[in-house]
Amino acid sequence: MTTAREIMTPDAVCVDERETVAEAARRMTGLDVGALPICGADDRLKGVLTDRDIVTKVLGRGLSPEKCTVGELAQGEIVTIGADEEAQEILRTMAAHKVRRLPVLDQGRLVGMVAQADVARALPDPQVGELLSALSSE
């Protein structure tokens, strides 16, 4: 069975928790990604910043992306997957937590990101439909 390590995007670029949301948004644009892992000064994963977070938690609330730091948005449980977990476990984790992207960890260190599209390419067609249905339901 396919593992997270095999389907992830390796070498995920972290955004420092002290950076502004505007800086992170420019980095997302330059990398053409919809999410960046948030890392602290200790180089440990603190959360994930998504394009949706920028819109709903910053712009939608009238906050300044030039003043708001990424760390202010790193709240709640961090949902991750182990590098050697199989695609089925990635599917279950994404569906259970209703997330479209997961940081991939190996011995506690960030090694990549796996997205819904990565899993969709790795799974047989019926399972892809189940994933998309689970992520789209309220």
Side-chain angles (χ1 to χ4, degrees), residues 27-50:
R27 184 170 305 169
M28 290 169 88
T29 300
L31 294 170
D32 192 28
V33 296
L36 288 173
I38 302 169
C39 294
D42 59 359
D43 202 32
R44 299 299 255 182
L45 185 66
K46 304 293 183 189
V48 175
L49 176 70
T50 67

Side-chain angles (χ1 to χ4, degrees), residues 8 12 17 23 37 40-41 59 62 64 77 80-81 86 90 92 102 106 111 118-119 124 126 130:
M8 71 182 186
E17 66 184 340
E23 291 168 325
L59 301 176
S64 169
E77 176 188 12
T80 64
I81 196 78
E86 294 182 353
I90 300 168
R92 281 191 286 278
L102 289 171
D106 188 9
V111 294
D118 301 324
V119 179
E130 291 171 22

Side-chain angles (χ1 to χ4, degrees), residues 101-123:
R101 303 169 187 98
L102 289 171
V104 180
L105 303 181
D106 188 9
Q107 298 181 357
R109 292 284 178 200
L110 180 69
V111 294
M113 291 285 285
V114 64
Q116 173 183 324
D118 301 324
V119 179
R121 284 189 293 270
L123 293 173

